[in-house]
Structures are given as structure tokens and as C-alpha cells.
Amino acid sequence: MSNEFPNQTESFNDRFEARAIGSEQNILLAQESRSSSNFKTDKPLLTANGNNDAGVSDFSLGAGNGYTDWITASKTVMPEDNIGTLEFSISDMGDAGVDSGVLIDNVKVELDPPLYVVPNGQSLTGPSQRPLVEFADQSTTFDSVLVASGNGPNGAPSVSLSGPLLKAVRSDLNVPYSLLGLLNGSRLNSSSNDPLVWLQGGNYSLSTLKGTAIFDFWGTKTALDPDTQVEVGSGPTVTHAGPLLQASDGAAVNTQKVLKLDTALLEATLPVIKLIGSANAHTSLTTESSAIDLLKGKLTSIGPVIALDKGLININNGPLINLTSGSRLITVGDLLSLTNGSKINVFNGPLISVSGAGSMLDVGGALVNFGGTGGNKIIVNNSITPTATLSGLAVSATSGAKINIGPNPVINPGLGTISVTGSLIQATNNGQVSIKAK
């Protein structure tokens, strides 16, 4: 909640931070600021009276000033000792007279013992030309496949694979935490063209706890982006020539989100998400929040970023793709590919959300390429009022944000449809969207 929004200039940038502090580490867990948050402004005067409640400080949010919805933040850390402090702070930036406040609820610290742990300074090499972990016709539960923190010996990648991280065939897996956690600038190098996570048939409940993601990558290195002049993650995470997640043969995957890229860099040559159906059934992915979430991260792709061939994606809350805090997603080609009756449902949010100064979606090709036998659908529902219709697409750009869409955002429009209640794309608080679509 910030009284700086919307009337104060961006030089007034109050900031909330949550940190895990140990004897050797000071790790940023979550950050929100006046310049990076996605605000609403429809509340009357709100007052918290600390005199009546010893657990609440005095704070008043003026009528029509900025507040966010509840934000779930989570980060996996590998402590170097058993004693530490979980610190929450909020600070004035640019002034001491216009206040901001934060309401914190449901704080949890949970243990996550993975199958493989790679501490800072150590390394792991997987089996030659084979998956690190493999299941066939099995039903099992475990917390996580692999968590690595920091660099390997002499600054080398901490994990080296020549096959998938995980391959499962006709199996039923329950994995509540992240399948792969690359923490504190850890890197994975794969010489395989196979998917990093490869699911063929079966049912998979992966990264189902709030705040988790199948791939959880966070780093500490940043560099000034030459185009946006905003600091963004610059430390590479994964070197891999195949898809990150590929599911096929009617597999059903349920998760909180697929990718969380926090202050880190990911260069993708093939799709981040690839779903391939069977002759008789769609292959499905259902997420409780956004499928791809970038926080001060940078993702570059040849395109498409998401490819469906008789695939189905259901997003229950939030956008399909979410960019915040100066994040950039750059794809040379098309952003999405849907063929042979594929479908994306976004039940409570836009297809794409871009918020915060420096945050940018830059698509060199089209928004979506429909193909195959047709019958492809994108269905989006939300209550975001459009501010414009660009090349036939309803969009919302507010608080200094910009959206530019070329004349042909949909390739092969006769092979698919886009249905929108509300806005298809949302940009706010100086976020930018550019879809060349020539």
C-alpha cells in the first residue's frame, strides 16, 4: 500500500524487502516498490490504528491511492549455518513524508530435502546419456529432484548433464517443491537435446506448494540493460539445447507455475513449455498462477516460447506470462504456437502482464501462430478494462505503460480464434510491450 501512487513522481519510490540473513549470506527473498508494483486505486480511506492493536503500526492509505492484491512470494535457499534471521523492512525512498505500508500474513519456513543437493563449491555430473532420475509405470512421492547453490569448483557450472534431469513414463508423481532449484547464481550445463523434464503419459502433481515452480532459478549478478537502462539479472542459469518442459501422450500436469526466473538470465533455443497430445487425448498443463514468471529476469528465445500440438493449458489465476521489476522477455520469432486443436484458457487474468519501469516484452514475430488442422483457441477472462484495441486485440496500458502491436499479430487466423472478456494484454507502471507482427 503506497500513498506515493499515483500522484507522486517516480523519484518517490518506497520499497518493501524480505531477506534471509545468515553469518555468510544476505539473500533477498521478495521485493515490491512503488515503481514496480501493479497497483489498484479503488479503495476509500483505510486506517490501521496501532494504538488499538499492538501488532499493527499506525498507517493510513488515502482514498484512491495505490494498493496491490495479495502477493505470494517464495524462495528456496540453502543456508550455510543453522542460525539466521528472517527480516521484513519497508523504507522511504525520496521522501520521509508520504508513507507506504505492508500487511504480512501466513509466513512459513519449510524444509525441502531433495534427491540431490549440490552446495556452493561442489559439482554433480549425471550419468552418461541417461536421465539423472527416471521412472516408468511407477507411483511415488518425493520433495524435489535437485537443488544447487552457488558455483561449482573454480567457478564452473555446478551441475553437468548429458540426458534429462527427469524422465517419467506412464507414472504418477507427487513432488510438492521445485523439481530443479538453481540458487544463488548456480548453473546447469546440459549437452543433451532431450527435454530437461520429459513426461510421457501419466499424471504429475509438481511444485504444488504456493510460491514454488517446476524450475526455480535465482541469481545475484545484475547488469544495466542497454535498452531500458534498468538493472536486470545477468548471470546465466541453464545451457541446454532442448525444451525445459515437454509432456506428451496425454500426460496431465498440475503445478503452481512452470518457470520462476528471479534476477537471472535464461537463453532458450527451444520452447520453455512444449505439449504434444496423443491420438485420443490432449496433453494438459494446469497452473494455479502464471506459467512463466520473471522478476528482474531476462529470457531470450528463438521462439516460440510456448508450443502446443494438441495441447491444453489452463491458468487458474494470473497471466500466462508475467514480467515485473525490469524483466525482459525477447523472442526473435513468434511468442506462441498452437496446432491441431490446442487451447489456452486464462480464467482470471490477462494472457500477458508487464509491469514496472524497464519491464518489456519484445516479440520479433507474431503473438501466436495457429496451425495444423485448426480448431485452436485462446480464451481469456478478466475484469481489466481495455484502453485500446490494437490490430483487433483488446489491451490495457496505464500509468505510463506502452503497448505496440503490428498489423498481423495472428498467423493463420482461419485456424484458430482468440476470445477475450476484459483485456488480452495488460501493461502498467511504465511496462512496455512490442509485438512486431509484420
Side-chain angles (χ1 to χ4, degrees):
M1 299 174 285
S2 180
N3 288 305
E4 293 184 336
F5 188 91
N7 297 318
Q8 302 294 319
T9 65
E10 288 181 33
S11 61
F12 298 91
N13 187 26
D14 288 359
R15 182 173 299 163
F16 163 75
E17 290 186 348
R19 290 183 173 272
I21 302 173
S23 59
E24 302 293 333
Q25 295 178 313
N26 188 329
I27 298 170
L28 180 66
L29 304 178
Q31 184 182 81
E32 284 290 326
S33 71
R34 185 263 186 217
S35 292
S36 65
S37 297
N38 191 353
F39 284 112
K40 295 182 177 180
T41 56
D42 57 355
K43 294 292 186 186
L45 176 68
L46 298 177
T47 300
N49 190 344
N51 295 325
N52 296 332
D53 186 344
V56 180
S57 301
D58 290 325
F59 176 74
S60 294
L61 179 70
N65 287 346
Y67 74 97
T68 70
D69 288 328
W70 284 103
I71 297 171
T72 299
S74 173
K75 183 169 283 188
T76 303
V77 299
M78 190 180 295
E80 296 181 353
D81 47 47
N82 295 323
I83 300 174
T85 300
L86 188 59
E87 178 186 88
F88 302 98
S89 65
I90 190 164
S91 55
D92 279 314
M93 302 289 288
D95 76 300
V98 184
D99 288 335
S100 301
V102 62
L103 179 61
I104 301 170
D105 189 27
N106 198 19
V107 177
K108 294 181 180 180
V109 178
E110 297 183 288
L111 295 178
D112 168 23
L115 300 179
Y116 293 89
V117 178
V118 187
N120 186 32
Q122 299 186 23
S123 64
L124 170 73
T125 299
S128 178
Q129 308 297 317
R130 294 187 57 198
L132 181 66
V133 177
E134 188 170 11
F135 298 96
D137 299 302
Q138 291 178 262
S139 178
T140 189
T141 297
F142 56 93
D143 279 343
S144 174
V145 173
L146 186 149
V147 175
S149 180
N151 290 320
N154 302 315
S158 50
V159 181
S160 297
L161 301 177
S162 57
L165 175 82
L166 168 70
K167 183 177 181 181
V169 180
R170 298 180 304 274
S171 292
D172 190 336
L173 303 185
N174 181 19
V175 187
Y177 296 91
S178 299
L179 283 183
L180 174 62
L182 298 177
L183 320 178
N184 200 21
S186 184
R187 289 177 292 150
L188 181 150
N189 183 64
S190 170
S191 60
S192 172
N193 294 327
D194 291 334
L196 200 58
V197 171
W198 196 356
L199 309 175
Q200 299 176 344
N203 295 283
Y204 305 92
S205 296
L206 310 176
S207 308
T208 51
L209 293 177
K210 277 192 173 182
T212 62
I214 293 175
F215 303 100
D216 184 0
F217 305 155
W218 67 264
T220 56
K221 291 183 179 180
T222 62
L224 199 67
D225 189 285
D227 295 324
T228 64
Q229 297 301 302
V230 173
E231 281 199 348
V232 67
S234 60
T237 51
V238 171
T239 301
H240 179 55
L244 287 191
L245 171 66
Q246 179 173 308
S248 63
D249 302 299
V253 182
N254 291 277
T255 185
Q256 284 288 323
K257 62 182 63 180
V258 175
L259 171 65
K260 181 166 64 173
L261 189 66
D262 181 350
T263 319
L265 170 67
L266 175 63
E267 298 177 344
T269 55
L270 290 177
V272 173
I273 301 169
K274 186 175 183 179
L275 304 182
I276 305 170
S278 68
N280 301 316
H282 284 77
T283 292
S284 67
L285 168 69
T286 299
T287 71
E288 291 303 313
S289 57
S290 52
I292 296 176
D293 196 0
L294 273 60
L295 173 70
K296 208 172 183 179
K298 186 174 183 179
L299 169 60
T300 63
S301 169
I302 294 174
V305 175
I306 297 173
L308 309 182
D309 182 352
K310 202 175 181 181
L312 168 65
I313 293 181
N314 292 317
I315 310 294
N316 287 334
N317 289 287
L320 176 72
I321 298 172
N322 186 42
L323 311 181
T324 63
S325 301
S327 294
R328 293 196 69 185
L329 193 163
I330 304 169
T331 177
V332 177
D334 306 325
L335 184 67
L336 308 173
S337 171
L338 278 71
T339 63
N340 298 316
S342 293
K343 188 175 181 181
I344 296 175
N345 290 312
V346 182
F347 295 109
N348 185 27
L351 187 71
I352 299 161
S353 176
V354 181
S355 64
S359 294
M360 177 182 289
L361 172 67
D362 188 353
V363 179
L367 173 69
V368 59
N369 187 336
F370 291 132
T373 58
N376 305 291
K377 296 180 181 179
I378 296 176
I379 302 174
V380 174
N381 287 281
N382 56 68
S383 58
I384 303 167
T385 302
T387 59
T389 299
L390 304 178
S391 299
L393 305 178
V395 302
S396 173
T398 58
S399 302
K402 297 178 181 178
I403 299 177
N404 294 302
I405 300 177
N408 299 300
V410 179
I411 296 177
N412 299 320
L415 297 178
T417 59
I418 299 176
S419 303
V420 182
T421 300
S423 295
L424 183 70
I425 299 171
Q426 180 185 37
T428 187
N429 220 354
N430 295 296
Q432 297 185 52
V433 174
S434 173
I435 301 174
K436 303 297 191 300
K438 295 180 179 179

